[in-house]
Amino acid sequence: MALRKELSPGIVVLSAVVGGISLATGALLTVTSLFGYAAGPWVSPEALSPGLVGAAMAGVAPALFTMGRARLWADVRSLVLPLVIVLAGLFAVSLLNGGSLQAAEGGPLFLALFSLGWVAVLGLLALGALGCLVAQYRRPAGGTGTGTGTAPRHPVAPLPGWSKPPLAVVGSGWLGIGAGLLAFPGFWGALLPWTVNRADAQGLGVWALALGVGVLAALAEDDLTRIRPALRAVPLIALAIALVLAVHHRSVDWTSGPGASLLALVTGLFTAGASGHWLLARADRRSAAAAEVAPATPATPAGSVPPTPAESKSEAAPEVPLAAVPDAGPSPADDDA
């Protein structure tokens, strides 16, 4: 089992910065999409695709703000790794589809400037995220003199057995769709139940890939206490995506196989997050109850054997010193002698 590593300050700062930018940008893309405008960094045939990207950005932001509460790398890596995938992936997609950017297509001035800022900021954040990730993995295991980080950490609240197969299905579904949209946007993009172009397909593929990695990472952690930030992000992302899909329901072919699959994946994502919250809350209540009962029971040192009843009796009646016993008089046998 791997040794504990403390969370580096760089990851905390990165998460706060990305959270603020993601919340503002995601809100812009989502709100404009809800009103029927495609205000993404690249030209899109419909307002649905940039709205979904914005919904995912806005949904993950609150969880990024809470990442500073963690002290160990193991508690946040199920969210940090997908975050790095999103930053690096969206930057690469923007460069590969540079001809579709609003600035290159001669879009409105605001959208043209927004697209240029999108590429510049994403480049800086992606570079910073990769640097922080490398620094985190090069960070030595163990704390600074506390000794708490040198011992292996065992699962505190393991995932129940019944939850693992559904998590594997949901994670593999998102991962497969994301990989297909990224690698073969022409083929997989045509399978989506609404109209997309190459940039839309690959941008959505980045987020689908990151969601799949996050769900499978939570499955690999097998400890609810290590995926608290991810549990905060997953249901909010699912709800934000559902809101955008509900507003643009006429643009989606729900009767097709891809439409039904999309509905199943979004539902599975929300169910995974909601059930994880419920299981974690139950585990926290059990831990709190055990902590309240523990002080009333004397603790037995590790490796020691509980005392037997005879030993307990002897401890309760301490031996009286010989000097304290009064001297007995001569016995009758002594008088006869």
Side-chain angles (χ1 to χ4, degrees):
M1 186 175 294
L3 297 178
R4 298 186 185 185
K5 284 189 177 183
E6 289 188 350
L7 183 63
S8 66
I11 296 291
V12 177
V13 174
L14 174 71
S15 63
V17 173
V18 175
I21 296 175
S22 181
L23 182 61
T25 307
L28 172 65
L29 296 179
T30 304
V31 171
T32 54
S33 174
L34 295 179
F35 284 96
Y37 299 99
W42 51 74
V43 177
S44 299
E46 294 185 9
L48 177 55
S49 295
L52 292 176
V53 173
M57 296 177 67
V60 76
L64 295 177
F65 291 134
T66 64
M67 200 177 297
R69 303 176 186 174
R71 292 295 176 265
L72 297 177
W73 163 241
D75 295 337
V76 300
R77 59 189 172 192
S78 59
L79 183 59
V80 174
L81 295 178
L83 176 64
V84 175
I85 291 175
V86 168
L87 294 175
L90 287 180
F91 178 63
V93 167
S94 300
L95 293 181
L96 291 175
N97 298 277
S100 300
L101 292 175
Q102 296 282 359
E105 291 285 348
L109 179 61
F110 173 77
L111 294 181
L113 295 177
F114 173 71
S115 65
L116 295 177
W118 169 278
V119 175
V121 173
L122 268 181
L124 293 176
L125 292 179
L127 184 62
L130 292 174
C132 291
L133 189 62
V134 171
Q136 177 64 61
Y137 275 104
R138 295 188 61 178
R139 190 180 182 89
T144 57
T146 60
T148 58
T150 58
R153 182 181 181 184
H154 300 276
V156 177
L159 296 174
W162 58 263
S163 67
K164 294 181 180 180
L167 278 178
V169 172
V170 173
S172 300
W174 284 106
L175 182 70
I177 291 176
L181 289 172
L182 273 175
F184 306 102
F187 176 78
W188 286 91
L191 296 179
L192 292 178
W194 68 90
T195 305
V196 297
N197 56 16
R198 178 186 177 89
D200 285 336
Q202 290 187 323
L204 294 172
V206 169
W207 272 105
L209 182 67
L211 289 174
V213 170
V215 174
L216 294 178
L219 183 62
E221 292 289 352
D222 194 18
D223 190 350
L224 292 168
T225 61
R226 297 183 187 178
I227 58 174
R228 290 180 189 270
L231 287 178
R232 297 186 185 102
V234 168
L236 292 179
I237 292 175
L239 287 176
I241 290 176
L243 174 63
V244 175
L245 289 174
V247 172
H248 295 280
H249 67 279
R250 295 181 180 178
S251 301
V252 182
D253 185 8
W254 297 109
T255 60
S256 63
S261 300
L262 175 65
L263 182 61
L265 285 174
V266 174
T267 303
L269 192 66
F270 175 78
T271 304
S275 61
H277 268 292
W278 175 72
L279 291 171
L280 182 58
R282 188 177 66 170
D284 288 340
R285 287 194 299 268
R286 289 180 177 179
S287 300
E292 291 177 359
V293 174
T297 304
T300 302
S304 63
V305 180
T308 62
E311 292 175 349
S312 300
K313 184 177 181 180
S314 63
E315 292 177 359
E319 183 181 357
V320 180
L322 294 177
V325 179
D327 188 12
S331 64
D334 294 336
D335 294 340
D336 294 341

